Amino acid sequence: MTILKHKFFLLSLLCLTCLWTVVICQNSLNIIREWVQLEFVYPNEEARVRAVTNKYFVPEVSIPIDVDVYYGYGTQNPRIFITVPRFDVGRPITLGTVGEDGRISGYPDYSWHDYQGKNCEGLTSVFRVAIDNCHRLWVVDTGKIGNQQKCQPQVLAFDLKTDQLIYRHRVPSENFIATTRFITLVVDVRGSGPDDCADTFVYVADVSGFGLLVVDVARDRSWRVTHRYFFPYPSRGLFIIDGESFNIMDGVLGMALSPYVEGSDRLLYFHAFASTTENVVRTSLLRNDSFIEDPNANPNSINVFQAERPSQSGAEAIDDDGVLYFGLVEPPSMWSWNTSTKFSPYNFNEIAVNGELLPFPLGVKVVSNPKGHQELWLLTSNFHRVISGNLTSDRINIRLHAGTIPALLRNTRHY
């Protein structure tokens, strides 16, 4: 594959006063950056040579999965975080920030990534991250490279003001199984503001162990929840994208929390990747560790909506008004659903449909910018071509998109 080809679109061509916050000025979903393949920043030439020699870096395999964006304490220039899971060897950095030149720098620094699972104090393989209102970056590390459990799974939090590690929870052995792969996390903070962050729970999806990990941060405890709705649907395991067909029997993957209202319960919406359904559970059940005793004994503890999506869906996110955003595999597209309405295709609103630009929407985040607007950020890729072994350098393989939510919803049917 050729060396990195990236394009950074300063959309200030249309809004001259905007730079990184270009999405504030637009009325559509815009491409912020494009790559053929990722290029990484090394601390020195010796580290780069070591990465190539030891096959820590293998061109063509580094496809990012997730994105999140941090505007900091009122800054106009956000930091963009992306994750590059180690499905196998060849990814020198598994969590990084995007530089102005498009290259990826290891977060919090390169030393956390350099040992490829040989140093369990670092990061082994990160699928997804989440930034909360308390200026913390939450990370779930599978501890696996491929199917080899190199290190104990862990949940970490970094202070984004100092980039220092402020919390680490190593998942006890009784809370994961041999097939476990913790990939998606959502953070449930109950407080009145950014200085009131003690009441924090983290819910983590186990996509291949078909369960949910609940982490009580204040008490540094965790427990595992299982339920039949965390499993994949065998009839939905076949994926067809842009002529490529493959089977993925993944369980619970997409998760999103309803907005926090003081004194009220929150809802966790979720779905398996190999499914076309959406499910919901009250977080008060998950936060009660007695729920793990026999969750399958109560068929009504977790509910599934009767209607279904037209095709499978990956990541999802909810904005402050309770509108849920999700992608569809077929047609390749982004949609919204107001959770105050019935879950039904009639109430789904088209955001964007484009097979070339939105082939595999894997990263979906709602972000608040300094001007008070909510933004929708997406990371899409030709991940399906990685699975089939047909990734090529004659096309753009990775895209980062963003748009302001009021503008994206302006012309939908129900707003």
Side-chain angles (χ1 to χ4, degrees), residues 53-235:
T53 302
N54 295 333
K55 294 187 177 180
Y56 291 171
F57 171 64
V58 177
E60 307 177 9
V61 301
S62 295
I63 291 290
I65 293 295
D66 198 22
V67 62
D68 212 340
V69 176
Y70 178 64
Y71 279 100
Y73 295 82
T75 178
Q76 299 294 314
N77 300 317
R79 299 171 77 182
I80 300 176
F81 295 85
I82 64 171
T83 65
V84 187
R86 287 171 170 149
F87 295 99
D88 205 338
V89 297
R91 288 84 168 172
I93 290 170
T94 187
L95 167 63
T97 56
V98 181
E100 292 186 6
D101 61 356
R103 296 192 301 162
I104 311 303
S105 297
Y107 184 87
D109 61 57
Y110 186 80
S111 67
W112 282 71
H113 308 263
D114 194 26
Y115 295 94
Q116 301 283 317
K118 297 177 182 177
N119 176 8
C120 295
E121 295 300 311
L123 294 172
T124 304
S125 182
V126 175
F127 276 76
R128 298 185 185 278
V129 294
I131 297 173
D132 67 15
N133 292 331
C134 300
H135 306 281
R136 298 176 295 190
L137 173 70
W138 292 89
V139 180
V140 58
D141 180 4
T142 68
K144 286 185 171 182
I145 296 182
N147 291 320
Q148 294 185 358
Q149 193 75 54
K150 299 287 189 177
C151 298
Q152 204 169 348
Q154 57 182 341
V155 176
L156 311 97
F158 294 88
D159 182 341
L160 286 171
K161 187 175 183 180
T162 64
D163 294 327
Q164 296 298 307
L165 178 70
I166 56 175
Y167 179 76
R168 186 198 298 262
H169 178 78
R170 299 189 192 276
V171 182
S173 58
E174 63 268 23
N175 291 337
F176 65 97
I177 59 179
T179 57
T180 284
R181 197 179 303 274
F182 293 123
I183 67 166
T184 304
L185 74 167
V186 292
V187 184
D188 183 2
V189 182
R190 309 286 176 94
S192 56
D195 298 322
D196 185 8
C197 305
D199 185 2
T200 299
F201 279 68
V202 182
Y203 313 118
V204 188
D206 183 353
V207 70
S208 52
F210 313 138
L212 191 72
L213 180 75
V214 180
V215 182
D216 180 347
V217 174
R219 297 171 179 81
D220 195 27
R221 297 178 58 241
S222 65
W223 51 91
R224 181 179 178 83
V225 178
T226 58
H227 195 277
R228 63 186 181 278
Y229 290 151
F230 296 152
F231 282 74
Y233 289 66
S235 61

Side-chain angles (χ1 to χ4, degrees), residues 31 59 74 116 144-145 232 242 293 373:
I31 297 174
Q116 301 283 317
K144 286 185 171 182
I145 296 182
D242 191 24
E293 293 179 358
H373 297 84

Side-chain angles (χ1 to χ4, degrees), residues 369-398:
N369 65 37
K371 292 193 175 182
H373 297 84
Q374 291 186 96
E375 301 171 353
L376 182 67
W377 285 75
L378 309 177
L379 190 148
T380 65
S381 73
N382 287 326
F383 182 69
H384 55 292
R385 295 186 178 276
V386 176
I387 296 174
S388 64
N390 293 324
L391 190 70
T392 61
S393 60
D394 60 352
R395 66 176 71 203
I396 299 296
N397 289 308
I398 307 160

